Amino acid sequence: MLAAHQILDTALALVDERGTDALTVRGVAAALDVAPNALYTYFPNRDALRAALVEHLLGELDGVKLPADWPTALRHLAGALRALLARHPGAVPLFVAGPMFGPHGLHTGERALALLAGAGFTPTAAARALYTVLAYTLGFAAMDAAELTPGAPADMDTRVAQRRTAFEAVPAADYPHTHAAASVMATYVTDTQFRSGLDTILAGLARSAASPSR
Amino acid sequence: MLAAHQILDTALALVDERGTDALTVRGVAAALDVAPNALYTYFPNRDALRAALVEHLLGELDGVKLPADWPTALRHLAGALRALLARHPGAVPLFVAGPMFGPHGLHTGERALALLAGAGFTPTAAARALYTVLAYTLGFAAMDAAELTPGAPADMDTRVAQRRTAFEAVPAADYPHTHAAASVMATYVTDTQFRSGLDTILAGLARSAASPSR
DNA sequence: ACCTGAACACCGTTCAAGT
DNA sequence: ACCTGAACACCGTTCAAGT
């Protein structure tokens, strides 16, 4: 007999190995040696399966520790989400299309809001801060995932080399600044770039946290 | 006889009217009263058509004026991108999956980098700043677009009302902070929230722009 | 070069039937 | 309740053929 978690595990394996498009009802069913329509006992349709997979992955964030120091906590949270999406690039389009606000998403969000409230943020400021960090993290992960070919080798050296090749192909005559900056950007390990942007946001938040409007 | 721009116009109309999934080779061909495979004269495959549509839309950013004051310029640029994506929510997944670095994307990027260089940013700092703003804008637009149903009424009053209903459904007992913040967030016109996050980023950038590392 | 008809290997989903 | 066989209306793409 099947079980919902088996279906989700198989779906995740397919997405990780062969990319977003491999997540098909028929493909998952075949991997489970089952008729395609067998899955409809557990999920009403394909989108429900996708949403359940997102929800399943968001569960990993439940274990993230959130220290009382709010910038550190937001760094941990955003870092964990980014790491999660980086581990499953094929799942990123599902997150983008989807329900960040299921039970697990709400639970993590609630923890973050509670933490910010404890740090002196008003409910409004806390919600805005969290939303900003979330949008940045999701957007960054999306651009990151878009660069990865479905079943390609994703080790950092290879990626940096590929980025360099791609960026150096930009004609320096037409795009001088792009060419100059691109040769540097290729060497940025993506983690470094992610933290840089996140630190910028946290610095901005700290500034308004020091003002009366917080 | 067909033309590439006709195909793209039709594809865009389909995406706008019926959502991302309506962008199919056969659907576009049918809308043009043409056999499905006729499109292969102009695009080698479906992904090329999608990429061309993204590129076509990015062309709208060429007209964005970038004043010398860099925070204002970044506000204009990010605002124009967000407005573009808000006008075509069904196209957002294409941007996310896709090639922000075609000719039009490069051109706009180059203009932004030149502007930041003129404001005293090093190539490295300029590239990082632009990437951060881009990630935030794309992530925000993605979450925004995910909320919209394919052919639903998208006027602001309706959306706020729907958001309120959705957020108020969150049980206050389990998620007190979420519930409290959510009732406020529902009333945020999305533009206000977008500018709030963007201002946070710009404030963070201004801080590092004042330091020697810029 | 540009378009069509026909075909291939896929999709998601439904329905009736079996256990 | 859980699964299957068969069918439906779709996909993207290719190939040979026509103009």
Side-chain angles (χ1 to χ4, degrees), chain B residues 55-150:
Chain B
E55 187 59 21
H56 177 240
L57 285 171
L58 278 177
E60 295 187 24
L61 296 184
D62 287 350
V64 177
K65 297 241 170 85
L66 298 184
D69 181 59
W70 68 264
T72 306
L74 287 184
R75 248 184 282 264
H76 282 205
L77 188 59
L81 178 55
R82 154 146 173 70
L84 176 64
L85 295 172
R87 246 178 295 129
H88 307 289
V92 170
L94 310 181
F95 279 82
V96 168
M100 299 279 287
F101 300 105
H104 280 118
L106 282 178
H107 179 245
T108 302
E110 175 69 18
R111 289 207 298 147
L113 291 178
L115 170 111
L116 291 170
F121 282 71
T122 63
T124 301
R128 286 189 162 176
L130 188 57
Y131 203 76
T132 301
V133 169
L134 188 61
Y136 168 71
T137 305
L138 199 61
F140 189 96
M143 292 199 289
D144 199 10
E147 212 187 68
L148 292 162
T149 332

